[in-house]
């Protein structure tokens, strides 16, 4: 390995080694002509070529337990993993944040993170994701740490998965498989389990492995005569056929569950009850906000994808208007396409709502990235036309400068704390202002014998004033057209 000297020393050496004419040509060489005084401030921090191409370790990712008392609570031996990412765009901090999120996902799935490395490339290697040389270096990291699994921060093709496993000699999974595993652990309802199972089978189908023709399970033809005897269906072909059959069955079951959800949604529409959907990044505090607004009692945990099953609760605005509040599944960067498709029926709660509460974690290092990732999924489910309020949660733990920046950039936003209750009343008032109001304002004197109309005016409309007279209840309300038609016979006749 050759030693390197400073640019100023190289210039002095060249002054003695070259004549005057040749010295000017030599100074045009990149390594010699650069000087800190002239180029340092302009070019910024410089890296050697080998340093730029090397695997760069990301410190602070290890979650290995050292306390014996803490280890005793782990019933099963957890997988010991090494994380690897490819940094193609953005800054080094963006790449570190992405790998830190992968570490949090791995820990949520029940793994111990031993190490994490990042490779700077223009694009992932088509064969081994990080290149053959770096894959060999990754093998050394695996041996050094004693890991039994490698997790890649991206979705690997079946070929990349197989070839990288051949080099590192341990199990390799990608970000998509990791998220699917977390969803499988946390799904509790029948619909949630079916949606996760469908997404897993869609992911698994092109990644099945077999031994080819040597594992034929049936002979073609049987007693069919000449030229009909053959190897028949191989084991991997049988597996693929069975998976396709299960996927078709699962889609039928999800479609039936979707029908039941649609019936409930139509009932709410018939009663003209406005709906509000809570959407946002995973672990942003959506369930905590739902509990704070409605007292729903939904599981709250400092973990990614702690709650998957959607929850719909009835709520009331400060002015007395009823509406429904729906907690949806959390989103994450690079959410697998299989999950978006499988959970489409659940995510339709967002598209069919009258208002979206977009919850973002104000204490996160990159809240703008969370906002962009969630809006990308909202576009996928066709909910771009629904009005949105950005709710910056965890304001009690966030940097005040970050809060000011977000409030300045997001015009319709509010900073709250679901844990302490800060600004929750202001949020309720904002929801009251943003929810669509009934279109018809009417005044009616409803006889006491028609109390149901008065009750409907309270539940389906907005009561401006109410007075009990000798003839009946005098109402001034703002209602939808159907209820306005029912109240029309009782409108007072104007005096001539």
């Amino acid at each position: 390995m050759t030693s390197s000297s400073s640019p100023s020393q190289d210039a002095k050496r060249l002054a003695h080694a070259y004549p005057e004419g040749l010295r000017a040509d030599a100074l045009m060489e990149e390594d010699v002509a650069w000087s800190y005084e002239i180029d340092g401030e302009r070019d910024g921090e410089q890296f050697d070529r080998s340093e730029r191409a090397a695997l760069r370790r990301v410190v602070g990712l290890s979650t290995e337990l050292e306390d014996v008392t803490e280890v005793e609570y782990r019933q099963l031996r957890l997988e010991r993993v090494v994380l690897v990412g490819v940094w193609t765009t953005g800054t080094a901090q963006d790449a570190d944040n992405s790998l830190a999120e992968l570490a949090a996902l791995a820990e949520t799935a029940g793994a111990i993170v031993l190490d994490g490395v990042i490779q700077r490339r223009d694009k992932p290697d088509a064969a081994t994701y990080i290149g053959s040389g770096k894959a060999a270096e990754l093998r050394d990291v695996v041996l050094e740490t004693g890991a039994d699994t490698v997790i890649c921060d991206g979705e690997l093709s079946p070929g990349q998965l197989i070839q990288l496993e051949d080099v590192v000699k341990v199990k390799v999974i990608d970000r998509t498989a990791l998220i699917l595993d977390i969803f499988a652990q946390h799904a509790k309802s029948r619909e949630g389990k079916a949606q996760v199972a469908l997404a897993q089978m869609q992911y698994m189908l092109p990644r099945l492995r077999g031994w080819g023709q040597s594992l034929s399970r049936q002979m073609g033809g049987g007693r069919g005569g000449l030229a009909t005897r053959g190897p028949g269906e191989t084991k991997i072909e049988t597996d693929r056929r069975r998976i396709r059959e299960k996927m078709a069955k699962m889609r039928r079951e999800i479609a039936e569950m979707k029908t039941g959800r649609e019936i409930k949604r139509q009932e709410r529409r018939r009663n003209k009850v406005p709906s509000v959907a809570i959407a946002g990044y995973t672990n942003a505090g959506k369930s905590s906000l739902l509990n704070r607004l409605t007292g729903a009692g939904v599981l709250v945990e400092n973990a990614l994808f702690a709650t998957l099953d959607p929850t719909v609760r009835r709520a009331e605005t400060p002015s007395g208007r009823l509406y429904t509040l729906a907690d949806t599944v959390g989103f994450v960067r690079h959410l697998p396409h299989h999950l978006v498709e499988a959970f489409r029926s659940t995510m339709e709660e967002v598209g069919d709502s009258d208002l979206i509460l977009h919850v973002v974690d104000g204490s996160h290092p990159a809240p703008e990235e969370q906002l962009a990732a969630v809006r990308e999924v909202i576009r996928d489910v066709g909910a771009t036309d629904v009005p949105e309020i950005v709710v910056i949660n965890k304001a009690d733990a966030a940097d005040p400068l970050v809060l000011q920046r977000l409030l300045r950039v997001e015009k319709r936003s509010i900073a709250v704390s679901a844990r302490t209750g800060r600004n929750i009343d202001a949020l309720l008032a904002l929801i009251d202002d943003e929810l669509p109001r009934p279109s018809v304002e009417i005044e009616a004197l409803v006889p006491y014998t028609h109390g149901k109309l008065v009750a409907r005016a309270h539940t389906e409309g907005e009561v401006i004033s109410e007075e009990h007279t000798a003839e009946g209840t005098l109402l001034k309300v703002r209602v939808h057209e159907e209820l306005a038609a029912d109240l029309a016979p009782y409108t007072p006749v104007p005096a001539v």
Side-chain angles (χ1 to χ4, degrees), residues 335-367:
L335 190 67
H337 178 70
H338 314 296
L339 277 177
V340 176
E341 287 299 318
F343 278 78
R344 185 168 293 276
S345 61
T346 302
M347 293 177 182
E348 284 175 357
E349 292 285 353
V350 177
D352 290 338
S353 63
D354 297 299
L355 180 66
I356 296 176
L357 295 185
H358 185 166
V359 184
V360 61
D361 183 358
S363 63
H364 191 270

PDB file of all heavy atoms in Angstrom, residues 335-367:
ATOM      1  N   LEU A 335     -43.348   1.240   1.775  1.00  0.00           N
ATOM      2  CA  LEU A 335     -44.339   0.239   2.184  1.00  0.00           C
ATOM      3  C   LEU A 335     -44.526  -0.748   1.039  1.00  0.00           C
ATOM      4  O   LEU A 335     -44.777  -0.342  -0.093  1.00  0.00           O
ATOM      5  CB  LEU A 335     -45.668   0.918   2.521  1.00  0.00           C
ATOM      6  CG  LEU A 335     -46.726   0.039   3.183  1.00  0.00           C
ATOM      7  CD1 LEU A 335     -46.277  -0.374   4.568  1.00  0.00           C
ATOM      8  CD2 LEU A 335     -48.060   0.761   3.266  1.00  0.00           C
ATOM      9  N   PRO A 336     -44.387  -2.062   1.304  1.00  0.00           N
ATOM     10  CA  PRO A 336     -44.467  -3.050   0.218  1.00  0.00           C
ATOM     11  C   PRO A 336     -45.757  -2.933  -0.575  1.00  0.00           C
ATOM     12  O   PRO A 336     -46.844  -2.750  -0.009  1.00  0.00           O
ATOM     13  CB  PRO A 336     -44.390  -4.390   0.957  1.00  0.00           C
ATOM     14  CG  PRO A 336     -43.684  -4.078   2.238  1.00  0.00           C
ATOM     15  CD  PRO A 336     -44.096  -2.686   2.604  1.00  0.00           C
ATOM     16  N   HIS A 337     -45.627  -3.022  -1.888  1.00  0.00           N
ATOM     17  CA  HIS A 337     -46.786  -2.908  -2.774  1.00  0.00           C
ATOM     18  C   HIS A 337     -47.810  -3.999  -2.464  1.00  0.00           C
ATOM     19  O   HIS A 337     -49.023  -3.757  -2.558  1.00  0.00           O
ATOM     20  CB  HIS A 337     -46.322  -3.015  -4.229  1.00  0.00           C
ATOM     21  CG  HIS A 337     -47.441  -2.953  -5.225  1.00  0.00           C
ATOM     22  ND1 HIS A 337     -48.150  -1.794  -5.475  1.00  0.00           N
ATOM     23  CD2 HIS A 337     -47.990  -3.916  -6.018  1.00  0.00           C
ATOM     24  CE1 HIS A 337     -49.070  -2.051  -6.391  1.00  0.00           C
ATOM     25  NE2 HIS A 337     -48.996  -3.317  -6.732  1.00  0.00           N
ATOM     26  N   HIS A 338     -47.332  -5.192  -2.080  1.00  0.00           N
ATOM     27  CA  HIS A 338     -48.256  -6.281  -1.755  1.00  0.00           C
ATOM     28  C   HIS A 338     -49.170  -5.883  -0.594  1.00  0.00           C
ATOM     29  O   HIS A 338     -50.360  -6.212  -0.580  1.00  0.00           O
ATOM     30  CB  HIS A 338     -47.481  -7.546  -1.372  1.00  0.00           C
ATOM     31  CG  HIS A 338     -46.349  -7.876  -2.285  1.00  0.00           C
ATOM     32  ND1 HIS A 338     -46.541  -8.205  -3.605  1.00  0.00           N
ATOM     33  CD2 HIS A 338     -45.004  -7.906  -2.087  1.00  0.00           C
ATOM     34  CE1 HIS A 338     -45.365  -8.437  -4.179  1.00  0.00           C
ATOM     35  NE2 HIS A 338     -44.421  -8.244  -3.280  1.00  0.00           N
ATOM     36  N   LEU A 339     -48.615  -5.169   0.390  1.00  0.00           N
ATOM     37  CA  LEU A 339     -49.420  -4.756   1.540  1.00  0.00           C
ATOM     38  C   LEU A 339     -50.433  -3.689   1.154  1.00  0.00           C
ATOM     39  O   LEU A 339     -51.566  -3.702   1.638  1.00  0.00           O
ATOM     40  CB  LEU A 339     -48.510  -4.232   2.654  1.00  0.00           C
ATOM     41  CG  LEU A 339     -47.884  -5.295   3.554  1.00  0.00           C
ATOM     42  CD1 LEU A 339     -46.947  -4.657   4.566  1.00  0.00           C
ATOM     43  CD2 LEU A 339     -48.953  -6.091   4.283  1.00  0.00           C
ATOM     44  N   VAL A 340     -50.028  -2.761   0.318  1.00  0.00           N
ATOM     45  CA  VAL A 340     -50.959  -1.721  -0.118  1.00  0.00           C
ATOM     46  C   VAL A 340     -52.154  -2.349  -0.819  1.00  0.00           C
ATOM     47  O   VAL A 340     -53.309  -1.966  -0.596  1.00  0.00           O
ATOM     48  CB  VAL A 340     -50.251  -0.702  -1.038  1.00  0.00           C
ATOM     49  CG1 VAL A 340     -51.246   0.318  -1.575  1.00  0.00           C
ATOM     50  CG2 VAL A 340     -49.133   0.010  -0.283  1.00  0.00           C
ATOM     51  N   GLU A 341     -51.892  -3.339  -1.667  1.00  0.00           N
ATOM     52  CA  GLU A 341     -52.979  -4.011  -2.385  1.00  0.00           C
ATOM     53  C   GLU A 341     -53.842  -4.827  -1.428  1.00  0.00           C
ATOM     54  O   GLU A 341     -55.068  -4.800  -1.510  1.00  0.00           O
ATOM     55  CB  GLU A 341     -52.395  -4.924  -3.474  1.00  0.00           C
ATOM     56  CG  GLU A 341     -51.835  -4.172  -4.662  1.00  0.00           C
ATOM     57  CD  GLU A 341     -52.889  -3.344  -5.375  1.00  0.00           C
ATOM     58  OE1 GLU A 341     -54.014  -3.830  -5.551  1.00  0.00           O
ATOM     59  OE2 GLU A 341     -52.599  -2.186  -5.716  1.00  0.00           O
ATOM     60  N   ALA A 342     -53.189  -5.571  -0.506  1.00  0.00           N
ATOM     61  CA  ALA A 342     -53.947  -6.438   0.395  1.00  0.00           C
ATOM     62  C   ALA A 342     -54.794  -5.626   1.375  1.00  0.00           C
ATOM     63  O   ALA A 342     -55.913  -6.015   1.710  1.00  0.00           O
ATOM     64  CB  ALA A 342     -52.996  -7.360   1.162  1.00  0.00           C
ATOM     65  N   PHE A 343     -54.273  -4.478   1.834  1.00  0.00           N
ATOM     66  CA  PHE A 343     -54.987  -3.663   2.803  1.00  0.00           C
ATOM     67  C   PHE A 343     -55.821  -2.558   2.139  1.00  0.00           C
ATOM     68  O   PHE A 343     -56.239  -1.622   2.809  1.00  0.00           O
ATOM     69  CB  PHE A 343     -54.001  -3.029   3.792  1.00  0.00           C
ATOM     70  CG  PHE A 343     -53.597  -3.949   4.911  1.00  0.00           C
ATOM     71  CD1 PHE A 343     -52.662  -4.941   4.700  1.00  0.00           C
ATOM     72  CD2 PHE A 343     -54.167  -3.826   6.161  1.00  0.00           C
ATOM     73  CE1 PHE A 343     -52.281  -5.789   5.727  1.00  0.00           C
ATOM     74  CE2 PHE A 343     -53.795  -4.670   7.193  1.00  0.00           C
ATOM     75  CZ  PHE A 343     -52.854  -5.660   6.977  1.00  0.00           C
ATOM     76  N   ARG A 344     -56.046  -2.688   0.836  1.00  0.00           N
ATOM     77  CA  ARG A 344     -56.777  -1.636   0.139  1.00  0.00           C
ATOM     78  C   ARG A 344     -58.182  -1.455   0.703  1.00  0.00           C
ATOM     79  O   ARG A 344     -58.668  -0.329   0.843  1.00  0.00           O
ATOM     80  CB  ARG A 344     -56.845  -1.952  -1.357  1.00  0.00           C
ATOM     81  CG  ARG A 344     -57.488  -0.849  -2.182  1.00  0.00           C
ATOM     82  CD  ARG A 344     -57.273  -1.076  -3.660  1.00  0.00           C
ATOM     83  NE  ARG A 344     -55.879  -0.952  -4.035  1.00  0.00           N
ATOM     84  CZ  ARG A 344     -55.293   0.212  -4.306  1.00  0.00           C
ATOM     85  NH1 ARG A 344     -55.973   1.332  -4.210  1.00  0.00           N
ATOM     86  NH2 ARG A 344     -54.030   0.245  -4.640  1.00  0.00           N
ATOM     87  N   SER A 345     -58.854  -2.554   1.052  1.00  0.00           N
ATOM     88  CA  SER A 345     -60.212  -2.427   1.586  1.00  0.00           C
ATOM     89  C   SER A 345     -60.208  -1.695   2.919  1.00  0.00           C
ATOM     90  O   SER A 345     -61.143  -0.950   3.237  1.00  0.00           O
ATOM     91  CB  SER A 345     -60.853  -3.810   1.748  1.00  0.00           C
ATOM     92  OG  SER A 345     -60.104  -4.606   2.649  1.00  0.00           O
ATOM     93  N   THR A 346     -59.148  -1.904   3.730  1.00  0.00           N
ATOM     94  CA  THR A 346     -59.041  -1.190   4.996  1.00  0.00           C
ATOM     95  C   THR A 346     -58.701   0.277   4.769  1.00  0.00           C
ATOM     96  O   THR A 346     -59.234   1.172   5.424  1.00  0.00           O
ATOM     97  CB  THR A 346     -57.958  -1.842   5.877  1.00  0.00           C
ATOM     98  OG1 THR A 346     -58.292  -3.209   6.086  1.00  0.00           O
ATOM     99  CG2 THR A 346     -57.849  -1.145   7.208  1.00  0.00           C
ATOM    100  N   MET A 347     -57.810   0.527   3.807  1.00  0.00           N
ATOM    101  CA  MET A 347     -57.385   1.902   3.543  1.00  0.00           C
ATOM    102  C   MET A 347     -58.467   2.729   2.853  1.00  0.00           C
ATOM    103  O   MET A 347     -58.347   3.948   2.755  1.00  0.00           O
ATOM    104  CB  MET A 347     -56.117   1.893   2.686  1.00  0.00           C
ATOM    105  CG  MET A 347     -54.901   1.331   3.408  1.00  0.00           C
ATOM    106  SD  MET A 347     -53.438   1.259   2.350  1.00  0.00           S
ATOM    107  CE  MET A 347     -52.241   0.515   3.468  1.00  0.00           C
ATOM    108  N   GLU A 348     -59.534   2.051   2.388  1.00  0.00           N
ATOM    109  CA  GLU A 348     -60.632   2.797   1.789  1.00  0.00           C
ATOM    110  C   GLU A 348     -61.327   3.690   2.810  1.00  0.00           C
ATOM    111  O   GLU A 348     -62.035   4.628   2.446  1.00  0.00           O
ATOM    112  CB  GLU A 348     -61.646   1.835   1.158  1.00  0.00           C
ATOM    113  CG  GLU A 348     -61.169   1.254  -0.163  1.00  0.00           C
ATOM    114  CD  GLU A 348     -62.113   0.206  -0.713  1.00  0.00           C
ATOM    115  OE1 GLU A 348     -63.110  -0.100  -0.017  1.00  0.00           O
ATOM    116  OE2 GLU A 348     -61.868  -0.312  -1.811  1.00  0.00           O
ATOM    117  N   GLU A 349     -61.133   3.403   4.109  1.00  0.00           N
ATOM    118  CA  GLU A 349     -61.661   4.287   5.141  1.00  0.00           C
ATOM    119  C   GLU A 349     -61.102   5.695   4.964  1.00  0.00           C
ATOM    120  O   GLU A 349     -61.781   6.687   5.242  1.00  0.00           O
ATOM    121  CB  GLU A 349     -61.293   3.753   6.535  1.00  0.00           C
ATOM    122  CG  GLU A 349     -61.976   2.451   6.924  1.00  0.00           C
ATOM    123  CD  GLU A 349     -63.427   2.634   7.290  1.00  0.00           C
ATOM    124  OE1 GLU A 349     -63.881   3.789   7.369  1.00  0.00           O
ATOM    125  OE2 GLU A 349     -64.119   1.622   7.486  1.00  0.00           O
ATOM    126  N   VAL A 350     -59.844   5.788   4.501  1.00  0.00           N
ATOM    127  CA  VAL A 350     -59.227   7.092   4.281  1.00  0.00           C
ATOM    128  C   VAL A 350     -59.865   7.771   3.074  1.00  0.00           C
ATOM    129  O   VAL A 350     -60.221   8.954   3.109  1.00  0.00           O
ATOM    130  CB  VAL A 350     -57.699   6.945   4.081  1.00  0.00           C
ATOM    131  CG1 VAL A 350     -57.055   8.285   3.783  1.00  0.00           C
ATOM    132  CG2 VAL A 350     -57.059   6.314   5.312  1.00  0.00           C
ATOM    133  N   GLY A 351     -60.022   7.017   1.982  1.00  0.00           N
ATOM    134  CA  GLY A 351     -60.573   7.597   0.764  1.00  0.00           C
ATOM    135  C   GLY A 351     -62.029   8.019   0.885  1.00  0.00           C
ATOM    136  O   GLY A 351     -62.463   8.970   0.237  1.00  0.00           O
ATOM    137  N   ASP A 352     -62.808   7.319   1.738  1.00  0.00           N
ATOM    138  CA  ASP A 352     -64.231   7.632   1.875  1.00  0.00           C
ATOM    139  C   ASP A 352     -64.523   8.607   3.005  1.00  0.00           C
ATOM    140  O   ASP A 352     -65.690   8.890   3.288  1.00  0.00           O
ATOM    141  CB  ASP A 352     -65.029   6.338   2.115  1.00  0.00           C
ATOM    142  CG  ASP A 352     -65.065   5.462   0.878  1.00  0.00           C
ATOM    143  OD1 ASP A 352     -64.854   6.007  -0.226  1.00  0.00           O
ATOM    144  OD2 ASP A 352     -65.287   4.246   1.012  1.00  0.00           O
ATOM    145  N   SER A 353     -63.499   9.093   3.663  1.00  0.00           N
ATOM    146  CA  SER A 353     -63.720   9.992   4.806  1.00  0.00           C
ATOM    147  C   SER A 353     -63.974  11.421   4.314  1.00  0.00           C
ATOM    148  O   SER A 353     -63.694  11.772   3.170  1.00  0.00           O
ATOM    149  CB  SER A 353     -62.509   9.963   5.740  1.00  0.00           C
ATOM    150  OG  SER A 353     -61.358  10.436   5.073  1.00  0.00           O
ATOM    151  N   ASP A 354     -64.520  12.243   5.203  1.00  0.00           N
ATOM    152  CA  ASP A 354     -64.750  13.658   4.904  1.00  0.00           C
ATOM    153  C   ASP A 354     -63.564  14.521   5.296  1.00  0.00           C
ATOM    154  O   ASP A 354     -63.444  15.665   4.848  1.00  0.00           O
ATOM    155  CB  ASP A 354     -66.003  14.153   5.641  1.00  0.00           C
ATOM    156  CG  ASP A 354     -67.261  13.429   5.195  1.00  0.00           C
ATOM    157  OD1 ASP A 354     -67.588  13.521   3.994  1.00  0.00           O
ATOM    158  OD2 ASP A 354     -67.894  12.760   6.020  1.00  0.00           O
ATOM    159  N   LEU A 355     -62.678  13.969   6.164  1.00  0.00           N
ATOM    160  CA  LEU A 355     -61.531  14.727   6.650  1.00  0.00           C
ATOM    161  C   LEU A 355     -60.448  13.746   7.075  1.00  0.00           C
ATOM    162  O   LEU A 355     -60.748  12.699   7.652  1.00  0.00           O
ATOM    163  CB  LEU A 355     -61.941  15.614   7.834  1.00  0.00           C
ATOM    164  CG  LEU A 355     -60.877  16.485   8.483  1.00  0.00           C
ATOM    165  CD1 LEU A 355     -60.386  17.558   7.511  1.00  0.00           C
ATOM    166  CD2 LEU A 355     -61.414  17.129   9.760  1.00  0.00           C
ATOM    167  N   ILE A 356     -59.188  14.059   6.771  1.00  0.00           N
ATOM    168  CA  ILE A 356     -58.053  13.230   7.179  1.00  0.00           C
ATOM    169  C   ILE A 356     -57.251  13.976   8.234  1.00  0.00           C
ATOM    170  O   ILE A 356     -56.848  15.124   8.019  1.00  0.00           O
ATOM    171  CB  ILE A 356     -57.144  12.891   5.982  1.00  0.00           C
ATOM    172  CG1 ILE A 356     -57.877  12.053   4.948  1.00  0.00           C
ATOM    173  CG2 ILE A 356     -55.897  12.144   6.447  1.00  0.00           C
ATOM    174  CD1 ILE A 356     -57.067  11.774   3.693  1.00  0.00           C
ATOM    175  N   LEU A 357     -57.043  13.321   9.377  1.00  0.00           N
ATOM    176  CA  LEU A 357     -56.103  13.834  10.374  1.00  0.00           C
ATOM    177  C   LEU A 357     -54.762  13.147  10.106  1.00  0.00           C
ATOM    178  O   LEU A 357     -54.586  11.971  10.416  1.00  0.00           O
ATOM    179  CB  LEU A 357     -56.576  13.525  11.798  1.00  0.00           C
ATOM    180  CG  LEU A 357     -57.860  14.194  12.271  1.00  0.00           C
ATOM    181  CD1 LEU A 357     -58.110  13.869  13.734  1.00  0.00           C
ATOM    182  CD2 LEU A 357     -57.802  15.693  12.068  1.00  0.00           C
ATOM    183  N   HIS A 358     -53.850  13.871   9.489  1.00  0.00           N
ATOM    184  CA  HIS A 358     -52.543  13.318   9.120  1.00  0.00           C
ATOM    185  C   HIS A 358     -51.598  13.530  10.301  1.00  0.00           C
ATOM    186  O   HIS A 358     -51.106  14.627  10.519  1.00  0.00           O
ATOM    187  CB  HIS A 358     -52.030  14.000   7.855  1.00  0.00           C
ATOM    188  CG  HIS A 358     -50.760  13.423   7.333  1.00  0.00           C
ATOM    189  ND1 HIS A 358     -50.282  13.688   6.070  1.00  0.00           N
ATOM    190  CD2 HIS A 358     -49.851  12.579   7.884  1.00  0.00           C
ATOM    191  CE1 HIS A 358     -49.151  13.041   5.887  1.00  0.00           C
ATOM    192  NE2 HIS A 358     -48.869  12.383   6.995  1.00  0.00           N
ATOM    193  N   VAL A 359     -51.350  12.459  11.059  1.00  0.00           N
ATOM    194  CA  VAL A 359     -50.537  12.546  12.277  1.00  0.00           C
ATOM    195  C   VAL A 359     -49.071  12.330  11.923  1.00  0.00           C
ATOM    196  O   VAL A 359     -48.715  11.366  11.231  1.00  0.00           O
ATOM    197  CB  VAL A 359     -50.997  11.504  13.311  1.00  0.00           C
ATOM    198  CG1 VAL A 359     -50.208  11.655  14.609  1.00  0.00           C
ATOM    199  CG2 VAL A 359     -52.486  11.646  13.585  1.00  0.00           C
ATOM    200  N   VAL A 360     -48.212  13.229  12.388  1.00  0.00           N
ATOM    201  CA  VAL A 360     -46.776  13.117  12.164  1.00  0.00           C
ATOM    202  C   VAL A 360     -46.072  13.264  13.508  1.00  0.00           C
ATOM    203  O   VAL A 360     -46.519  14.009  14.386  1.00  0.00           O
ATOM    204  CB  VAL A 360     -46.285  14.185  11.151  1.00  0.00           C
ATOM    205  CG1 VAL A 360     -46.549  15.588  11.664  1.00  0.00           C
ATOM    206  CG2 VAL A 360     -44.811  14.015  10.847  1.00  0.00           C
ATOM    207  N   ASP A 361     -44.995  12.522  13.688  1.00  0.00           N
ATOM    208  CA  ASP A 361     -44.208  12.550  14.923  1.00  0.00           C
ATOM    209  C   ASP A 361     -43.302  13.775  14.908  1.00  0.00           C
ATOM    210  O   ASP A 361     -42.312  13.820  14.170  1.00  0.00           O
ATOM    211  CB  ASP A 361     -43.393  11.254  15.028  1.00  0.00           C
ATOM    212  CG  ASP A 361     -42.596  11.171  16.323  1.00  0.00           C
ATOM    213  OD1 ASP A 361     -42.639  12.127  17.121  1.00  0.00           O
ATOM    214  OD2 ASP A 361     -41.934  10.136  16.537  1.00  0.00           O
ATOM    215  N   GLY A 362     -43.618  14.785  15.731  1.00  0.00           N
ATOM    216  CA  GLY A 362     -42.811  15.995  15.767  1.00  0.00           C
ATOM    217  C   GLY A 362     -41.425  15.794  16.339  1.00  0.00           C
ATOM    218  O   GLY A 362     -40.525  16.595  16.082  1.00  0.00           O
ATOM    219  N   SER A 363     -41.219  14.710  17.109  1.00  0.00           N
ATOM    220  CA  SER A 363     -39.905  14.449  17.698  1.00  0.00           C
ATOM    221  C   SER A 363     -39.017  13.593  16.817  1.00  0.00           C
ATOM    222  O   SER A 363     -37.890  13.278  17.197  1.00  0.00           O
ATOM    223  CB  SER A 363     -40.079  13.772  19.063  1.00  0.00           C
ATOM    224  OG  SER A 363     -40.707  12.497  18.916  1.00  0.00           O
ATOM    225  N   HIS A 364     -39.514  13.194  15.639  1.00  0.00           N
ATOM    226  CA  HIS A 364     -38.722  12.343  14.735  1.00  0.00           C
ATOM    227  C   HIS A 364     -37.621  13.176  14.077  1.00  0.00           C
ATOM    228  O   HIS A 364     -37.810  14.370  13.809  1.00  0.00           O
ATOM    229  CB  HIS A 364     -39.635  11.738  13.671  1.00  0.00           C
ATOM    230  CG  HIS A 364     -38.998  10.647  12.861  1.00  0.00           C
ATOM    231  ND1 HIS A 364     -38.307  10.902  11.697  1.00  0.00           N
ATOM    232  CD2 HIS A 364     -38.927   9.311  13.061  1.00  0.00           C
ATOM    233  CE1 HIS A 364     -37.847   9.766  11.212  1.00  0.00           C
ATOM    234  NE2 HIS A 364     -38.211   8.787  12.018  1.00  0.00           N
ATOM    235  N   PRO A 365     -36.454  12.559  13.781  1.00  0.00           N
ATOM    236  CA  PRO A 365     -35.371  13.325  13.151  1.00  0.00           C
ATOM    237  C   PRO A 365     -35.730  13.901  11.787  1.00  0.00           C
ATOM    238  O   PRO A 365     -35.195  14.936  11.393  1.00  0.00           O
ATOM    239  CB  PRO A 365     -34.241  12.287  13.017  1.00  0.00           C
ATOM    240  CG  PRO A 365     -34.544  11.242  14.028  1.00  0.00           C
ATOM    241  CD  PRO A 365     -36.026  11.195  14.148  1.00  0.00           C
ATOM    242  N   ALA A 366     -36.640  13.229  11.049  1.00  0.00           N
ATOM    243  CA  ALA A 366     -36.996  13.711   9.703  1.00  0.00           C
ATOM    244  C   ALA A 366     -38.510  13.654   9.515  1.00  0.00           C
ATOM    245  O   ALA A 366     -39.026  12.780   8.797  1.00  0.00           O
ATOM    246  CB  ALA A 366     -36.290  12.883   8.640  1.00  0.00           C
ATOM    247  N   PRO A 367     -39.270  14.557  10.147  1.00  0.00           N
ATOM    248  CA  PRO A 367     -40.738  14.499  10.010  1.00  0.00           C
ATOM    249  C   PRO A 367     -41.224  14.776   8.596  1.00  0.00           C
ATOM    250  O   PRO A 367     -42.267  14.265   8.187  1.00  0.00           O
ATOM    251  CB  PRO A 367     -41.222  15.583  10.995  1.00  0.00           C
ATOM    252  CG  PRO A 367     -40.054  16.481  11.192  1.00  0.00           C
ATOM    253  CD  PRO A 367     -38.836  15.624  11.047  1.00  0.00           C
TER     254      PRO A 367
END
